[in-house]
Amino acid sequence: MKVSIWFFLVMLVVEISFCESTYVFLKDSRFGNIVLEHVPDEAIVSDKVVGLDIYLGELIKDIDYLVLGVCSDYTLVEKLGRYLGGYLKKLGVDFLVFGTFKTLNGIRSLRCVSRSPFVTAHVLSLFARGLQTAGVVPVLDMREGFNEDVIRALVSRHSYFPFVVREESVARKIKDLGIKRPFLLDEGDFWTLKDGVPNQLEYSWHDEASREELEDVRREILMHAMVILQNPPRVSRKMVVIDDPWGKLPKDAKVILIFSDDPWLKKLAEKALNGEFQIKGRRTW
């Protein structure tokens, strides 16, 4: 009985939304326009639009947004977007909700790219460009707030993409800042698309990529995101720290930060401590 009532309510929402010239996306549904919260096990065959709403680190192990900011080779960020987009497109995904548009000022989180709004915008723009190249539409995740300077920096780079919010008033503010694109309103069990039509969230081309290619670029990014946290004149000990840029450190220790506990990366960090490998990552906090 509960299932039938839920189905009736969803269909009622769909009918009402069409009357208001908006379009509904149902979460984890098997029909209509869909927003998935998990990577599908097999390719989805649908004549409607399919989106994916999942945190980047859950898609690719150990790749948080801070890692992308720290990475010394930003061409790898675009490459990651392209390979990830190609992999998702092969599974039938048309758009990916991504990004974090706050900065690290006053925040300690691996989910932020940098304290600089300009670096944040640059990195996320490159990632979005990679997705586009593969045929996946980038949808900016503005649900947890944003730094206005990040939005302005995106606009200055002509990085105009659809976005998702929880309140329509927030969407109007983002549009006033220059991102005049269709937006999705997250209303819990369903999302509604405003100021556009679903086919604006899908591309007709795709560039396939495999999980193996994704793993290769993941390793490249982690290798380029190693950072020397501390290197005092007199070193009494050497340490490798994982995923903790802000922890208290012994004053006499040479410390290298890495963002994965993969054995190959820890061995590389040990080599770097002994001067056998050059560290290339840069602080963004």
Side-chain angles (χ1 to χ4, degrees), residues 134-155:
V136 172
V137 176
V139 173
L140 312 179
D141 189 354
M142 300 289 186
R143 289 171 294 182
E144 301 304 321
F146 56 87
N147 180 302
E148 290 190 9
D149 286 332
V150 173
I151 304 299
R152 294 187 183 98
L154 286 171
V155 172

Side-chain angles (χ1 to χ4, degrees), residues 237-249:
R237 65 183 102 174
K238 299 175 181 179
M239 298 172 53
V240 175
V241 172
I242 302 172
D243 282 346
D244 188 8
W246 302 283
K248 189 174 181 180
L249 302 172

Side-chain angles (χ1 to χ4, degrees), residues 124-136:
L124 295 177
S125 294
L126 288 172
F127 183 76
R129 187 185 303 164
L131 291 174
Q132 284 185 303
T133 302
V136 172

Side-chain angles (χ1 to χ4, degrees), residues 263-283:
W264 68 268
L265 189 63
K266 289 195 282 189
K267 286 181 180 178
L268 202 58
E270 293 290 344
K271 283 188 174 183
L273 283 171
N274 295 322
E276 299 169 12
F277 179 79
Q278 184 180 358
I279 294 292
K280 299 176 181 178
R282 51 196 161 200
R283 290 174 179 255

Side-chain angles (χ1 to χ4, degrees), residues 212-223:
E212 289 75 20
E213 289 172 308
L214 269 175
E215 177 59 20
D216 288 343
V217 73
R218 169 187 174 271
R219 283 179 171 237
E220 284 188 77
I221 288 172
L222 289 171
M223 187 170 62

Side-chain angles (χ1 to χ4, degrees), residues 60 79-80 83-84 87 90 208-220:
I60 307 174
K79 189 176 180 181
L80 177 69
Y83 282 6
L84 179 59
Y87 175 72
K90 188 165 60 174
E208 291 189 359
S210 66
R211 265 291 177 187
E212 289 75 20
E213 289 172 308
L214 269 175
E215 177 59 20
D216 288 343
V217 73
R218 169 187 174 271
R219 283 179 171 237
E220 284 188 77

Side-chain angles (χ1 to χ4, degrees), residues 105-255:
N105 291 328
I107 299 174
R108 291 186 173 186
S109 173
L110 299 180
R111 291 185 175 232
C112 292
V113 175
S114 170
R115 66 185 175 192
S116 164
F118 309 105
V119 171
T120 299
H122 182 58
V123 168
L124 295 177
S125 294
L126 288 172
F127 183 76
R129 187 185 303 164
L131 291 174
Q132 284 185 303
T133 302
V136 172
V137 176
V139 173
L140 312 179
D141 189 354
M142 300 289 186
R143 289 171 294 182
E144 301 304 321
F146 56 87
N147 180 302
E148 290 190 9
D149 286 332
V150 173
I151 304 299
R152 294 187 183 98
L154 286 171
V155 172
S156 72
R157 288 165 172 77
H158 303 286
S159 296
Y160 311 114
F161 304 111
F163 56 92
V164 58
V165 293
R166 289 196 174 93
E167 297 178 16
E168 201 156 348
S169 60
V170 176
R172 298 304 167 197
K173 185 173 182 179
I174 292 169
K175 283 178 176 282
D176 289 343
L177 288 169
I179 300 183
K180 302 182 186 299
R181 287 294 183 268
F183 66 94
L184 288 152
L185 194 60
D186 181 352
E187 302 190 67
D189 289 333
F190 62 92
W191 295 13
T192 53
L193 177 64
K194 306 278 189 175
D195 297 349
V197 294
N199 63 15
Q200 290 174 291
L201 298 176
E202 62 178 346
Y203 295 144
S204 59
W205 69 88
H206 67 277
D207 178 20
E208 291 189 359
S210 66
R211 265 291 177 187
E212 289 75 20
E213 289 172 308
L214 269 175
E215 177 59 20
D216 288 343
V217 73
R218 169 187 174 271
R219 283 179 171 237
E220 284 188 77
I221 288 172
L222 289 171
M223 187 170 62
H224 283 78
M226 299 167 65
V227 177
I228 297 177
L229 280 184
Q230 187 172 278
N231 191 14
R234 294 185 179 181
V235 176
S236 300
R237 65 183 102 174
K238 299 175 181 179
M239 298 172 53
V240 175
V241 172
I242 302 172
D243 282 346
D244 188 8
W246 302 283
K248 189 174 181 180
L249 302 172
K251 292 182 179 180
D252 61 346
K254 180 179 181 179
V255 185

Side-chain angles (χ1 to χ4, degrees), residues 18 23-25 33 48-49 95 193 196-202:
F18 274 113
Y23 298 87
V24 168
F25 285 74
N33 298 315
K48 298 293 185 179
V49 179
F95 70 85
L193 177 64
V197 294
N199 63 15
Q200 290 174 291
L201 298 176
E202 62 178 346

